[in-house]
Amino acid sequence: MPSRRSALTLFAGAGAALALGAPAAHARPAHPRPFGRFGSPSRRLDALTLYVDPHGRGDHTDVRSALDAATGTGRTLVLAPGTYRGKLSVPADRAGLTLIGASGDPRDTVVVHGDAAGTPKPDGSGTLGTSGSASVTVQAAGFTARDVTFANDWLRSDNPEYTGTQAVAIKVQGDRSAFYGCRFLGHQDTLYADTLTLTAFARQYYRDCYVEGDVDFVFGRATAVYDRCHFRTLTRTDLASAPYGFVFAPSTAGANPRGYLVRRSRITSAAPDAYYKLARPWVPSSDLTAHPMLTVRDSHLGAGIDAVAPYGTMSAGFPWQDQRFAEHRNTGPGARITVPGNRPQLTAPVARAHTPAGWLGDWHPYA
């Protein structure tokens, strides 16, 4: 069975099945209409739209050059099926940028790179660090992505000497960032939902998305809503016992009244039953006043989640019991309340405020 790296390095448009080590299908020729219903360079939707196709039928053959050309605000990049390798950055001056996977299936359009926190910097001055490992970094406000896979295919098994094994698929820092039908693939620290500064309360919205990983693979200090998403915990061959990892590791600023909200979602696992914790708080050394917040409600928690002790503590002095963790009306074997003190529950009146509207205010990406 191929690794994520061997699967992702195949062109998705040639029939590769990408996630969870699925075998590649037989190759098929490139589609004659690589941009589907989104036009083409000869039938451009508008002057702000650029087309990217690795086979040369667009304005650009790679996403990085298209980003360099997409100056100003409100630009759209339509990506033909393919695997686009290389680190990408969406700076603050690209506000309102939209990425669209043209086929409508995120498995067909993959943006991927393979750095880890312990990867040496090119200039020899140290290692990249967690943020530097990100395949994609988004600092612009108003960023939207539809039907795209964001991946980091760095593997621990290929680099047993590394101690910095964080490998971020995407770091999102801009306010009003929205993702629809996207996939986020990695192992440790897959999806970094964060903010530009400690005092910025960046709002993010994820709907119908898929996220997989093992250690803290959804983390950061953003105000983020995960709506109808699927979280998948991976098995590990480098560990002999539980826990394998944690799904969520919020680091919400103490002054921020809203952290992570997970609703109408599900968590499944490729690992043995009860080998994963639902969450642990991250209080980084850069913000010892952080007060991590997570609400998981109306969601199905599979058997991979430890129902007896679903939360853990990352740092001494910041126990999970002192944080803003709560659940409401969850189902599934991982949601069983066997030790009530280990599963704080919202009351019905309080739960009425734990909604996308309550989290996102005057921004309505869920409408």
Side-chain angles (χ1 to χ4, degrees), residues 302-339:
I305 297 300
D306 180 357
V308 176
Y311 301 104
T313 293
M314 185 181 299
S315 303
F318 303 98
W320 74 262
Q321 293 90 342
D322 291 347
Q323 314 309 323
R324 295 176 285 177
F325 285 2
E327 302 176 51
H328 184 64
R329 296 194 310 191
N330 294 319
T331 60
R336 288 196 303 266
I337 302 176
T338 58
V339 180

Side-chain angles (χ1 to χ4, degrees), residues 193 202 204-207 218 220-229 231 248 250 252 257-265 292-299 324-328 330 346 350-361 366:
Q204 300 173 17
Y205 182 70
Y206 301 80
R207 189 174 73 200
V218 182
R221 62 173 175 253
T223 294
V225 175
Y226 305 92
D227 199 355
R228 300 191 317 222
C229 290
F231 304 92
F248 302 100
T252 321
R258 301 289 182 263
Y260 286 177
L261 171 63
V262 181
R263 68 191 291 261
R264 303 188 297 177
S265 295
M293 181 179 189
L294 168 71
T295 296
V296 180
R297 60 170 302 169
D298 304 300
S299 296
R324 295 176 285 177
F325 285 2
E327 302 176 51
H328 184 64
N330 294 319
L346 297 177
V350 172
R352 283 195 283 271
H354 289 237
T355 64
W359 249 241
L360 304 177
Y366 48 86

Side-chain angles (χ1 to χ4, degrees), residues 19 29 42 65 85 88 101 116 120 157 165 187 192 199 203 211 259 269 284 331:
S42 62
S65 64
R85 180 167 288 279
L88 299 176
S157 58
T165 57
H187 285 274
Y192 196 170
T199 57
R203 296 165 294 176
V211 193
S269 184
T331 60

Side-chain angles (χ1 to χ4, degrees), residues 4 112-116 133-135 150-154 167-169 185-187:
R4 177 183 290 114
V112 58
H113 198 64
D115 281 336
S133 75
S135 299
F150 300 93
N152 189 317
D153 62 358
W154 185 89
V168 177
L185 309 182
H187 285 274

Side-chain angles (χ1 to χ4, degrees), residues 130-202:
T130 300
S131 293
S133 75
S135 299
V136 178
T137 300
V138 178
Q139 295 184 323
F143 177 84
T144 301
R146 297 181 182 273
D147 304 319
V148 176
T149 292
F150 300 93
N152 189 317
D153 62 358
W154 185 89
L155 298 173
R156 295 186 189 94
S157 58
D158 290 349
N159 302 274
E161 76 281 7
Y162 276 44
T163 55
T165 57
Q166 301 88 343
V168 177
I170 188 169
K171 180 176 183 178
V172 186
Q173 298 176 281
D175 186 34
R176 294 176 288 107
S177 298
F179 296 81
Y180 303 93
C182 290
R183 290 155 63 84
F184 306 91
L185 309 182
H187 285 274
Q188 183 172 355
D189 291 7
T190 304
L191 173 55
Y192 196 170
D194 204 50
T195 69
L196 284 169
T197 67
L198 289 176
T199 57
F201 299 164

Side-chain angles (χ1 to χ4, degrees), residues 8-310:
L8 285 171
T9 52
L10 298 172
F11 274 103
L18 298 176
L20 309 178
H26 65 278
R28 61 179 184 269
H31 196 281
R33 294 183 59 213
F35 306 110
R37 62 187 178 88
F38 298 102
S40 68
S42 62
R43 298 185 300 110
R44 201 175 300 275
L45 294 185
D46 56 54
L48 296 178
T49 299
L50 293 175
Y51 297 88
V52 185
D53 173 44
H55 300 288
R57 296 165 295 179
D59 300 301
H60 300 271
T61 58
D62 65 279
V63 182
R64 182 181 298 172
S65 64
L67 278 172
D68 289 343
T71 56
T73 61
R75 303 299 295 265
T76 297
L77 304 185
V78 180
L79 311 184
T83 297
Y84 300 91
R85 180 167 288 279
K87 295 173 80 77
L88 299 176
S89 178
V90 183
D93 63 1
R94 301 298 199 275
L97 182 76
T98 297
L99 294 188
I100 298 175
S103 76
D105 185 337
R107 293 172 296 183
D108 290 339
T109 306
V110 182
V111 177
V112 58
H113 198 64
D115 281 336
T119 299
K121 292 181 179 179
D123 63 4
S125 62
T127 57
L128 292 176
T130 300
S131 293
S133 75
S135 299
V136 178
T137 300
V138 178
Q139 295 184 323
F143 177 84
T144 301
R146 297 181 182 273
D147 304 319
V148 176
T149 292
F150 300 93
N152 189 317
D153 62 358
W154 185 89
L155 298 173
R156 295 186 189 94
S157 58
D158 290 349
N159 302 274
E161 76 281 7
Y162 276 44
T163 55
T165 57
Q166 301 88 343
V168 177
I170 188 169
K171 180 176 183 178
V172 186
Q173 298 176 281
D175 186 34
R176 294 176 288 107
S177 298
F179 296 81
Y180 303 93
C182 290
R183 290 155 63 84
F184 306 91
L185 309 182
H187 285 274
Q188 183 172 355
D189 291 7
T190 304
L191 173 55
Y192 196 170
D194 204 50
T195 69
L196 284 169
T197 67
L198 289 176
T199 57
F201 299 164
R203 296 165 294 176
Q204 300 173 17
Y205 182 70
Y206 301 80
R207 189 174 73 200
D208 299 319
C209 290
Y210 171 89
V211 193
E212 69 175 34
D214 47 43
V215 180
D216 305 333
F217 63 94
V218 182
F219 75 113
R221 62 173 175 253
T223 294
V225 175
Y226 305 92
D227 199 355
R228 300 191 317 222
C229 290
H230 178 190
F231 304 92
R232 177 80 168 171
T233 61
L234 302 176
T235 194
R236 296 184 63 174
T237 58
D238 59 317
L239 295 179
S241 61
Y244 278 176
F246 306 80
V247 180
F248 302 100
S251 57
T252 321
N256 190 349
R258 301 289 182 263
Y260 286 177
L261 171 63
V262 181
R263 68 191 291 261
R264 303 188 297 177
S265 295
R266 61 189 173 113
I267 299 174
T268 64
S269 184
D273 291 356
Y275 266 51
Y276 273 87
K277 305 290 188 183
L278 183 60
R280 63 178 176 175
W282 177 32
V283 179
S285 58
S286 59
D287 181 20
L288 296 179
T289 66
H291 194 193
M293 181 179 189
L294 168 71
T295 296
V296 180
R297 60 170 302 169
D298 304 300
S299 296
H300 184 88
L301 311 185
I305 297 300
D306 180 357
V308 176

